Amino acid sequence: MTKTREEWLNQAALAMKPWLLETEAGQDYEDPLVSVGFPKGSRGKSTNNVIGQCWDKSVSEDKERAHIFVVPTLTDPVDVLAVLLHELVHASVGTQCGHRGPFKKCAVELGLEGKMTATVPGDMLRTKLEVLAEEIGRAHV
């Protein structure tokens, strides 16, 4: 059982790591730093608010690990896991390609669907995320 949302996110990221390592893009995967917080642009008045964000490892102090933020306002565990997986793909392929090329290939391979800037889990991935959410339990804050 986890104690905080951040601990829960990190446990989930570790559980999803093998999924990324199985993809072609995951061969250079380094565990990112994962935090709860408001990504840049997430609290604006736009209807297209940011719910997750990955900062490339090049802007991290150690230059070795990306940093991921997931908004604390998401409460459904499967939605949170889907956002986290989307950001883990960015951490895996690097942010320089945006949502094209290697990002899209990896995301689709993992079961993310829809517009690549706002992916959703396909049916098989949704089931996998539901199982993972059940395994790690709910965050207690």
Side-chain angles (χ1 to χ4, degrees):
M1 183 180 300
T2 59
K3 295 181 181 182
T4 67
R5 289 182 181 137
E6 192 165 89
E7 190 177 63
W8 188 89
L9 284 166
N10 279 286
Q11 188 176 350
L14 284 175
M16 288 190 252
K17 181 178 181 174
W19 305 355
L20 289 149
L21 292 175
E22 290 174 4
T23 69
E24 183 180 325
Q27 294 173 1
D28 294 325
Y29 182 79
E30 292 288 336
D31 292 328
L33 302 166
V34 182
S35 300
V36 176
F38 290 98
K40 183 178 180 181
S42 65
R43 295 203 278 181
K45 294 182 180 179
S46 166
T47 57
N48 188 18
N49 288 330
V50 178
I51 55 176
Q53 195 167 62
C54 179
W55 288 79
D56 193 76
K57 64 185 178 182
S58 66
V59 298
S60 181
E61 183 180 346
D62 67 9
K63 306 290 186 220
E64 294 180 16
R65 299 187 300 164
H67 199 131
I68 291 172
F69 294 94
V70 178
V71 294
T73 54
L74 287 180
T75 57
D76 180 84
V78 174
D79 291 343
V80 173
L81 291 173
V83 169
L84 178 59
L85 184 59
H86 176 109
E87 301 309 330
L88 289 170
V89 173
H90 280 301
S92 179
V93 302
T95 59
Q96 67 280 1
C97 63
H99 294 96
R100 300 173 308 277
F103 175 88
K104 183 175 182 178
K105 183 178 180 188
C106 185
V108 169
E109 189 176 340
L110 289 167
L112 291 168
E113 299 178 347
K115 188 176 175 185
M116 287 295 113
T117 56
T119 58
V120 294
D123 292 338
M124 289 179 61
L125 177 58
R126 176 166 289 284
T127 300
K128 205 171 173 179
L129 295 175
E130 288 168 353
V131 169
L132 177 57
E134 190 68 31
E135 286 173 359
I136 60 178
R138 292 193 67 83
H140 298 280
V141 291

